[in-house]
Amino acid sequence: MPHPKRKISKSRRDKRRTHDKAVAPTLTTCKTTGAVHLSHRAYTVDGNVYYNGKLLIEKTAVA
């Protein structure tokens, strides 16, 4: 197992960890449906699948 040759200072350790924080996802609101969703992702509203404000897959009625 490798061991550090020198002690890493707290400031150097914290500089490395600055980019490791959690980031909240960027949500967008659809202009046609008003649904809040992740950008560049397909989303469902009442069983219909939308992407970029356009209907992709329409819900079929089950008999």
Side-chain angles (χ1 to χ4, degrees), residues 17-47:
R17 291 181 182 174
T18 57
H19 304 291
D20 293 341
K21 60 181 180 264
V23 178
T26 55
L27 299 175
T28 57
T29 305
C30 180
K31 294 178 183 175
T32 57
T33 61
V36 177
H37 61 91
L38 290 170
S39 58
H40 306 289
R41 305 282 197 292
Y43 55 97
T44 58
V45 177
D46 298 329

Side-chain angles (χ1 to χ4, degrees), residues 43-50 54-63:
Y43 55 97
T44 58
V45 177
D46 298 329
N48 299 325
V49 179
Y50 290 88
K54 297 174 185 145
L55 182 65
L56 287 181
I57 302 171
E58 191 172 357
K59 181 180 180 181
T60 57
V62 178

Side-chain angles (χ1 to χ4, degrees), residues 1-22:
M1 293 291 294
H3 294 290
K5 194 160 194 163
R6 301 209 182 274
K7 180 180 178 179
I8 295 177
S9 67
K10 293 173 194 156
S11 63
R12 183 175 285 275
R13 177 199 65 197
D14 294 342
K15 283 180 191 176
R16 184 183 68 245
R17 291 181 182 174
T18 57
H19 304 291
D20 293 341
K21 60 181 180 264

